[in-house]
Structures are given as structure tokens and as C-alpha cells.
């Protein structure tokens, strides 16, 4: 029962309730609402408004503080805040300011990511008109849309934008454009009588939709967030699910927290047991913790994303949400619409098909009656517009310019046909029927020119057209016998022929799909067309269609079965907004990274659900607000370029993570080990921070680095276990040379505290920095893979700075002492041998474990996603 109160069924229950209301009489609906069919009295309307609230879509509010606080939950940011504290304690205020700036930048980026959800909701609100005509106190009044309540009677006319969901009471030739909710471009018939109807919502008019013809009245059954449009607003307002890249970064952060905590506690306890002061041991262990933290990771990620964003902008791809660049590189499955993406998005007349042996001229001659300005002055749908734009049809229309309109039966989406009664100049009146081929042929009793077996011949021609993906209309005629047009069009028509329309495949789409196939992206198609039409287009473009399925067929499937169904099928037709989002979520449950390309309000929930939501420049404001990426041109080739750029960006980000953690771990492992047998700290806390900071500065240009081509074809994924293996292999490898340095400094140079610390500082920095030239690629460095010039320059400059520090004016402040030429001679030998050892270890490592940025092997579905060209 509705009883005038808001009933708030969730998800598919809301649509089911609308279907139920459409199937019962207006009197029964009024009884549930606790009102009459003649509308509400003003006092009752005011009481309902006070009880249920205004008819507005949900607003997410600003919640500035709450959003900002959620950003601080990242464990990596907590580590960086700890690094800030340690830097302040040891007097490194510059380091503290830099790290704090990095934290602030990460928080700000995350804040704006959530805040953009408000923009999508505001755009949704613009779909609602601000006024409505309702019957109050027995007379029609124009009131603000916010004041409409359940039980109000709406007066409906052409051009109205519905302000609420309502059950029709009366409807005369009423059609509604529901593209805002369904994506369907053609209006649908609306009928007041209860079903059964082909459209299960024929008795309902829905918020946000537009009345295209007719007039009527309706009883409001839901307002605001209880409407179907409100459900979309709720989905858009909700925080988007964590993307794969964000989830991977979260896992990496937790891994780093665990390693850092364990190492810090061990070093603190060991140094305290060895008799060093508690404060000294604490500061040293905290400095070790900070040293293990890749402090500039947020900055490296941000720089990588910013550079990627600028490169994508040159490819006419606008990134609204920077982290989406990384996720774009991870994409394995792309859900895309057909119209305008795989096809030109412009329907045109492909052919006029008459009886065998004819040129179709007679078909155009009769169909041209719809184009004669004296008979029919406007195209009522995209097919009529395509007919009007065809030169052949225009010539045929000119030949019948003297015909006069004597009557018209408007096109009905229930009948799926329309009719004209025309009078010829020389006398005689004809009824011309044009509409859906199957329906018109059922009303035909003859087929002049088609022969004795006319129906079989006509069926063969029709089937051939349908198999080639055409939208087909049939044209039939009969002589006027004086009866009403509804009766004359019900039978005894003479079939003239067919009009075949098509939205041709884009010539560039096949090449773009081949690029996506080479990138191991599985393309699945969502369409409002008949599945057979979409299947034909896919076949023409080389997409291997594994299966076709409609929204009705997936309704009611459980999560596991839905995931299997989505994986098995390629084309999905006539899905509701919630079904689109469910299909995306089903693919994500299989562990796939999903991108969704859509441009309508009905696509907004799926755009938010996907790892990467993609829209286009001419999309609705709602779709663009919900998307992460906006394409200035609706071309798949642009998207392929974006995915390639995303994989390059991800590859360079992972380079930093793997090298920074392994080098930092090696240094800290060495420091921890040395602290157990040295009478002094192997490196002062300020020196550790200086080493780590200078190393990070040298890596700031890593986002500009070149990426080996073999890393591009496979979707990239996080693998914490691989990061751990990399860290424990290459970290201790550098520690071996650290301990050789310890031996050299103690046994050969008989170094005291300051000299020892200076020698290890220079050696550790040179080895951990120069090794970037080897570990940045799986190929032979310099010969088969060259670093970018900015990376080479900053790396070498920072090495020179590190070598110069013990001789600089800052040496005393940092606790350094000048080193002898003999040390640098030994250092050169150690660096050369270290790099040789690392190169051998690198070849062993990548031979036994797959590359992180290479991703996983393609699935059988990916291998068969696009047929070979």
C-alpha cells in the first residue's frame, strides 16, 4: 500500500513496483494513495508535503570536513606524517615542510575526487523542470515542482518534462521520450488502460522524461529520490567503489607499514639492549622507518599522472580524475555503446527493395508521400529524417507534389505503423501504410509484382535485409473504401516493398578494435537496438560475438550466475540503468578491471561503478559529471591511445616503487646490521633523511622515462608478492656492498665515526642511484633501452651532489668529513662490480618471475575477443 506516504523499495524492487502500478487500474492506485482521481485538496497536499518532504533529488551536501578526514585514512599518509614528525625532531625542517606538502597534495586530490559527485547530482536536478500543472481544489494550478506530492493529479501536454513518477488516468495519443532513463531514442506509447502491453510500463510516466505527443492526466505515485530518476541520483551520489589501482596502492601501503613497523621495533630494541641511550635508539629507529618509506611516492604518482594527462589531452582525451590514467592502463574489459562508437551515429536510407526485377522506385514513390511538404511537414523520428534526407526519395517526392492530404493516422508505437489518406490530382484516394515490416506484412493480403508466392518471396527479401543488420520498414497501400483509417489498415493491404535503413560501421573502428585487441582489451557492446543488428555490426568490424543477451534475460540472476553470463556474452541489449551497473559489477567480481563508455543519464550508475568511467564531449552533463575521462571525439582509437598512455604511466610508477623500496630496504638493512656491532651509529638520522630525500629528488623525473614496448600489450596489475621478492633480492644485494664498504672503512682507512658515516653515505647513494639505469628495463641497458634525458640528467646531478656533500659548507652541519682520493678509487671499483652483479641478478629475476608491469597472461576470452583481420 502507498497510502500517500513515500514507499522506498530498493534497486529492482522500485521498477517492479512501477510495473505493478502500471498493471492495475487508476482507481486501485488512487485507493492505495489514499486520494481520489480528481486530485487533492490544498490542506491535504500541504500535510503530505510536510510529512514526506519536498520533491527534490537527494543532495550529497558539502560535508567538507568528513570528506577531508576520509582522505587521511590512507596508511601511507600516516607513515608520511610520522616522517614529518621525525624530521622536525631531528631539526630537518625543510624535509618536514616538503613531506607535509606531499601529504596535503594527496588529501586535496582525494577531496576533489569525492566532491565531484555533487556535480553529477546537480546535473541530474537540471533534468527536472521547476513547474508542474496539478489539479488542486478542483481546478488546475501551476505550482513549483518542489511542492508536488504523492496523490497529486498532473495535467499533461506535449513538451512537458515530468516532475514525478505517475500513473496515467487518461491518455490521448500520448508518447514519451524516455531516453534519459533507457537510452532509447524512439518515443514510447503511453496508455491509461491496464495491461497486458508490450511495454510493461505503458501505464506510467516517469520523472525526467519528455512528452512528445498527445495529452492526458496522471496520478503522482513517487516524488524526489523515490522516483527512478532519484534512484540514479542516489547511485551517482554514492562514493565510487575503490578502483584497482587505488586498491593496489592500499595493499602496498599496508605491506610497507608492516615491514616498517617490524624493522623499527627490532632496531629500537636491539640498540636499547646494547646500552645506547633510549632517546638516541628511538631517533635512530624512527629515522630507519622514515628511510624505508618512499616519501615522494605521492609526488611521483602525481607527476606521472599530470604528464600522462597532458599527453592524453593532445590525443583529445580529457582526464577529470587523475588516478583514472593508471586505471585506464589496467583495463581488461571495455563495455561500449554501439551508436556513434562502432557506427557513424547517422541513420541513412540504404536501399528501397521492391519485387524481384524492380529497382525499388515504386517503393520510394509511395513512401515519398511522407516527405511532400503539402502532406507531411516534419520527420517524426530518425527513420523519417533519414528518408527525408535521401536524394532518391526527394526526387520521388517531387513527382507527387500535387497530391493532397485527406486524412492521417499518426504513427503509433503500439501499432508500430502509421497511415496517410491521400487524394491524387486526377481523382482517386489511396491509403498508404508505412511501419515495422513484420506488423505491416501481417496486414497484407496481396503483393502485386511479387508473384504467386509473394509472401515467401517477401519474407526471403526481409530476412536477407535483417541478416545484414538493417532496420526495415514496409510500405503497403490500398484504395480508399470510405471506412475509418483504423479499419482500412487492419487488413487487405497490398505490399509494395521495403525500406532498409542502416547506421554504417565506422571505417576507423575496425582498426581501433584491432589496437584494443593488441592491448588485450575484451570489448563488449551495450545497445538499445535489436541484438541481431548489433551482432551484425560487430561481425562486420571483426568482433567475435560469443553470445547475445537482453536485459529481460538477465533479470533475476544471482551474482555468480550473472558473472558467468556476462563473461560468456558479447552483446547486451535493452538494459535498465541498474542492470548496466550490475553487468559492470559482475565483470569486476571476476577480478577484471572494467571501463564503461556511455553518454546518457541512464549510463551514470554504470559510469560510477566502473574502474574507469568514460564519456564524450557531447554527452549529457550527468554522464560527463559521473565520468573519470571525457573523449573530445567519440572514437575508439582515442581510447586505445589512452589505454597505452595509462600503461606507460603505471609502468613508470611501479619502477619507482620497486626501486625505492628495494634500495631503501637495503640501506636500512645495512644500517640495522651495522648498528649491532659498531660503537657508533653507522649513519646519523639527519644523514639517513638526507640520503633518502636526495634519492627521491633524483627520481622525480622517472615519470618522463621511456617504457619498453613489450610492457604495453598486457594489462598492468599490482602484485605485492613480486614487490616483496624484488625488495628481498635486490635490497640485500646492495647490502653486501655496504658491508664491503664497512670493512674497507674500518680495516683499510681506519675510519672514525664521521669518516665512516661519510664513506657509507657516498657509497650507498651512488650504488642505489646508478642502479636505476639497470633496473628500469628488462633489456640490456643503454644498448637496447635508453633512459629519458631528464632522468639521466637528474640522476647524475644528484650523484655529483652526494659526492660533493662531504666537501661542502654543509658538511659540518650534516656530520660529514672529506674523503680521500683512494676511497673514490675503491668506490669506482665497487660501483662497477655492483652493477655487473645486479645485471646478472636482474636477468635471473625476470626469467623466474613475470614482470609486474607485464601483467597476467591473457585469458581465453581475451585471446578470442576480436577475430583476426
Amino acid at each position: 500500500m502507498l497510502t500517500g506516504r513515500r514507499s522506498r523499495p530498493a534497486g529492482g524492487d522500485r521498477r517492479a513496483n512501477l510495473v505493478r502500478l502500471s498493471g492495475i487500474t487508476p482507481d486501485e492506485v488512487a485507493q492505495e494513495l489514499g486520494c481520489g482521481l480528481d486530485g487533492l485538496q490544498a490542506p491535504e497536499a500541504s500535510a503530505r508535503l510536510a510529512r514526506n518532504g519536498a520533491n527534490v533529488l537527494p543532495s550529497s551536501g558539502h560535508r567538507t570536513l568528513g570528506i577531508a578526514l576520509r582522505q587521511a585514512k590512507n596508511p601511507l599518509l600516516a607513515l608520511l606524517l610520522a616522517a614529518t614528525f621525525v624530521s622536525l625532531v631531528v631539526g630537518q625542517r625543510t624535509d618536514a615542510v616538503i613531506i607535509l606538502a606531499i601529504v596535503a597534495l594527496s588529501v586535496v586530490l582525494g577531496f576533489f575526487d569525492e566532491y565531484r559527485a555533487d556535480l553529477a547530482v546537480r546535473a541530474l536536478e537540471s533534468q527536472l523542470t521547476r513547474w508542474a500543472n496539478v489539479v488542486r481544489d478542483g481546478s488546475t494550478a501551476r505550482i513549483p515542482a518542489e511542492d508536488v506530492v504523492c496523490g497529486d493529479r498532473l495535467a499533461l501536454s506535449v513538451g512537458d518534462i515530468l516532475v514525478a513518477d505517475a500513473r496515467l488516468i487518461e491518455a490521448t495519443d500520448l508518447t514519451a521520450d524516455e531516453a534519459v532513463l533507457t537510452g532509447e531514442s524512439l518515443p514510447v506509447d503511453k496508455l491509461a488502460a491496464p495491461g497486458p502491453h508490450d511495454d510493461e510500463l505503458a501505464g506510467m510516466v516517469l520523472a525526467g522524461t519528455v512528452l512528445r505527443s498527445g495529452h492526458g492526466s496522471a496520478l503522482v505515485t513517487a516524488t524526489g529520490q523515490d522516483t527512478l530518476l532519484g534512484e540514479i541520483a542516489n547511485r551517482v551520489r554514492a562514493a565510487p567503489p575503490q578502483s584497482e589501482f587505488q586498491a593496489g596502492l592500499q595493499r602496498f601501503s599496508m605491506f610497507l607499514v608492516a615491514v616498517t613497523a617490524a624493522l623499527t621495533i627490532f632496531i629500537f630494541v636491539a640498540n636499547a639492549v646494547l646500552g645506547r641511550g633510549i632517546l638516541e635508539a628511538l631517533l635512530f629507529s624512527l629515522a630507519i622507518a622514515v628511510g624505508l618509506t618512499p616519501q615522494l611516492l605521492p609526488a611521483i604518482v602525481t607527476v606521472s599522472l599530470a604528464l600522462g594527462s597532458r599527453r592524453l589531452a593532445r590525443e583529445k582525451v580529457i582526464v577529470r580524475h587523475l588516478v583514472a590514467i593508471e586505471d585506464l592502463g589496467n583495463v581488461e574489459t571495455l563495455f561500449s555503446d554501439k551508436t556513434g562508437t562502432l557506427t557513424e551515429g547517422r541513420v541513412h536510407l540504404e536501399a528501397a527493395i521492391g519485387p524481384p526485377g524492380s529497382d525499388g522506385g515504386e517503393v520510394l514513390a509511395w513512401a515519398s508521400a511522407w516527405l511532400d511538404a503539402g502532406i507531411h511537414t516534419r520527420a517524426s523520428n530518425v527513420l523519417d529524417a533519414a528518408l527525408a534526407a535521401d536524394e532518391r526519395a526527394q526526387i520521388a517526392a517531387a513527382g507527387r507534389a500535387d497530391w493532397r492530404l485527406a486524412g492521417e493516422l499518426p504513427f503509433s508505437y503500439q501499432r508500430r505503423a502509421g497511415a496517410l489518406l491521400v487524394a491524387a490530382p486526377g481523382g482517386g484516394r489511396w491509403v498508404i501504410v508505412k511501419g515495422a515490416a513484420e506488423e505491416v506484412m501481417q496486414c497484407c493480403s496481396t503483393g502485386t509484382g511479387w508473384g504467386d508466392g509473394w509472401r515467401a518471396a517477401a519474407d526471403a527479401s526481409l530476412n536477407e535485409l535483417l541478416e545484414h543488420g538493417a532496420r526495415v520498414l514496409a510500405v503497403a497501400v490500398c484504395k480508399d473504401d470510405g471506412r475509418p483509417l483504423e479499419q482500412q489498415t487492419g487488413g487487405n493491404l497490398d505490399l509494395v516493398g521495403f525500406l532498409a535503413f542502416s547506421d554504417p560501421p565506422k571505417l576507423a573502428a575496425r582498426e581501433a578494435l584491432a589496437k584494443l585487441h593488441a592491448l588485450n582489451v575484451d570489448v563488449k557492446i551495450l545497445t538499445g537496438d535489436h541484438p541481431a543488428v548489433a551482432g551484425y555490426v560487430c561481425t562486420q568490424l571483426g568482433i567475435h560475438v560469443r553470445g547475445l543477451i537482453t536485459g529481460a534475460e538477465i533479470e533475476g540472476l544471482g551474482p555468480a550466475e550473472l558473472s558467468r553470463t556476462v563473461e560468456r556474452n558479447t552483446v547486451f541489449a535493452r538494459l535498465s540503468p541498474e542492470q548496466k551497473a550490475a553487468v559492470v559489477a559482475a565483470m569486476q567480481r571476476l577480478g577484471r578491471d572494467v571501463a564503461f563508455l556511455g553518454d546518457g543519464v541512464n549510463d551514470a550508475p554504470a559510469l560510477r561503478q566502473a574502474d574507469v568511467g568514460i564519456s564524450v564531449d557531447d554527452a549529457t552533463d550527468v554522464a560527463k559529471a559521473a565520468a573519470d575521462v571525457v573523449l573530445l571525439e567519440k572514437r575508439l582509437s582515442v581510447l586505445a591511445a589512452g589505454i597505452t598512455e595509462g600503461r606507460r604511466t603505471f609502468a613508470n610508477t611501479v619502477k619507482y616503487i620497486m626501486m625505492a623500496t628495494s634500495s631503501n630496504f637495503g640501506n636500512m638493512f645495512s644500517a640495522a646490521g651495522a648498528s649491532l656491532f659498531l660503537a657508533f651509529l653507522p649513519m646519523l638520522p639527519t644523514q639517513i633523511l638526507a640520503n633518502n630525500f636526495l634519492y627521491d629528488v633524483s627520481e622525480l623525473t622517472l615519470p618522463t622515462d621511456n617504457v619498453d614496448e613489450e610492457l604495453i600489450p598486457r594489462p598492468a596489475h599490482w602484485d605485492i608478492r613480486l614487490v616483496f621478492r624484488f625488495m628481498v633480492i635486490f635490497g640485500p644485494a646492495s647490502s653486501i656492498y655496504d658491508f664491503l664498504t664497512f670493512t674497507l672503512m674500518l680495516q683499510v682507512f681506519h675510519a672514525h665515526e664521521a669518516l665512516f658515516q661519510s664513506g657509507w653515505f657516498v657509497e650507498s647513494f651512488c650504488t642505489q642511484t646508478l642502479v636505476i639505469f639497470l633496473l628500469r628495463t628488462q633489456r640490456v641497458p643503454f644498448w637496447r633501452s635508453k633512459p629519458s634525458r631528464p632522468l639521466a640528467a637528474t640522476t647524475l646531478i644528484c650523484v655529483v651532489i652526494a659526492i660533493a656533500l662531504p666537501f661542502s659548507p654543509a658538511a659540518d652541519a650534516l656530520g660529514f668529513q672529506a674523503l680521500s682520493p683512494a676511497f673514490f678509487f675503491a668506490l669506482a671499483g665497487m660501483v662497477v662490480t655492483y652493477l655487473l652483479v645486479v645485471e646478472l641478478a636482474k636477468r635471473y629475476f625476470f626469467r623466474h618471475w613475470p614482470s609486474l608491469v607485464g601483467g597476467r597472461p591473457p585469458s581465453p576470452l581475451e585471446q578470442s575477443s576480436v577475430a583476426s583481420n
Side-chain angles (χ1 to χ4, degrees), residues 662-701:
S662 61
S663 64
N664 289 353
F665 178 74
N667 285 342
M668 300 314 105
F669 183 81
S670 300
S675 67
L676 299 180
F677 62 81
L678 290 175
F680 51 84
L681 293 178
M683 197 181 293
L684 298 176
T686 54
Q687 295 168 348
I688 292 175
L689 293 175
N691 181 297
N692 203 44
F693 177 72
L694 193 59
Y695 174 78
D696 282 338
V697 170
S698 73
E699 304 304 293
L700 273 176
T701 53

Side-chain angles (χ1 to χ4, degrees), residues 358-379:
S358 70
D359 61 359
E362 189 71 10
V363 182
L364 284 176
W366 287 107
S368 64
W370 262 263
L371 308 182
D372 189 333
I375 293 179
H376 204 72
T377 58
R378 63 184 176 87

Side-chain angles (χ1 to χ4, degrees), residues 184-185 338-339 471 503 526-534 537 571-574:
E184 294 280 359
S185 59
K338 174 182 69 68
T339 304
R471 299 183 186 182
D503 180 7
L526 302 175
T527 179
D529 278 342
H530 191 282
V533 175
V537 171
V571 177
F572 302 82
R574 298 168 183 172

Side-chain angles (χ1 to χ4, degrees), residues 684-747:
L684 298 176
T686 54
Q687 295 168 348
I688 292 175
L689 293 175
N691 181 297
N692 203 44
F693 177 72
L694 193 59
Y695 174 78
D696 282 338
V697 170
S698 73
E699 304 304 293
L700 273 176
T701 53
L702 190 57
T704 70
D705 191 27
N706 303 316
V707 175
D708 297 340
E709 289 303 318
E710 62 266 22
L711 301 182
I712 300 300
R714 195 78 61 232
H717 292 278
W718 284 94
D719 188 343
I720 302 302
R721 290 175 299 178
L722 194 63
V723 174
F724 177 76
R725 291 191 189 107
F726 196 91
M727 186 179 74
V728 298
I729 288 177
F730 291 98
S734 68
S735 293
I736 294 173
Y737 280 82
D738 288 339
F739 283 106
L740 287 176
T741 302
F742 296 162
T743 303
L744 181 70
M745 297 304 295
L746 293 175
Q747 301 298 323

Side-chain angles (χ1 to χ4, degrees), residues 753-808:
E753 181 176 350
L755 185 61
F756 180 95
Q757 292 165 346
S758 301
W760 185 40
F761 176 89
V762 172
E763 179 273 334
S764 66
F765 186 84
C766 289
T767 53
Q768 76 173 13
T769 305
L770 293 174
V771 79
I772 175 66
F773 296 125
L774 277 65
L775 297 183
R776 55 165 292 278
T777 177
Q778 297 179 38
R779 299 178 178 180
V780 177
F782 296 105
W783 180 255
R784 294 191 59 215
S785 179
K786 296 180 181 179
S788 67
R789 290 182 179 179
L791 177 62
T794 54
T795 300
L796 295 176
I797 289 172
C798 286
V799 167
V800 171
I801 292 173
I803 292 173
L805 273 178
F807 305 93
S808 71

Side-chain angles (χ1 to χ4, degrees), residues 139-153:
S139 61
T140 301
R142 187 171 175 81
I143 66 172
E146 291 85 351
D147 295 339
V148 172
V149 297
C150 290
D152 265 329
R153 177 172 176 149

Side-chain angles (χ1 to χ4, degrees), residues 4 19 26-27 44 96 133 154 187 244 345 401 454 478 489 501 514 524 548 555 612 616 657 669 768 781 802 831:
V19 172
D27 286 319
E44 173 62 16
N133 294 318
L154 300 176
E244 200 276 343
W454 71 271
C478 68
T489 57
F501 299 85
K524 295 179 182 289
L548 305 93
E555 187 69 33
V612 185
V616 292
I657 289 173
F669 183 81
Q768 76 173 13
V831 168

Side-chain angles (χ1 to χ4, degrees), residues 21-22 24-26 29 166-169 191-194 203-204 217-219 221:
L21 294 174
S22 180
I24 62 178
T25 67
V29 174
R167 174 62 168 88
L168 285 169
I169 301 171
L191 306 165
M204 303 295 298
S217 61
L219 208 59
T221 59

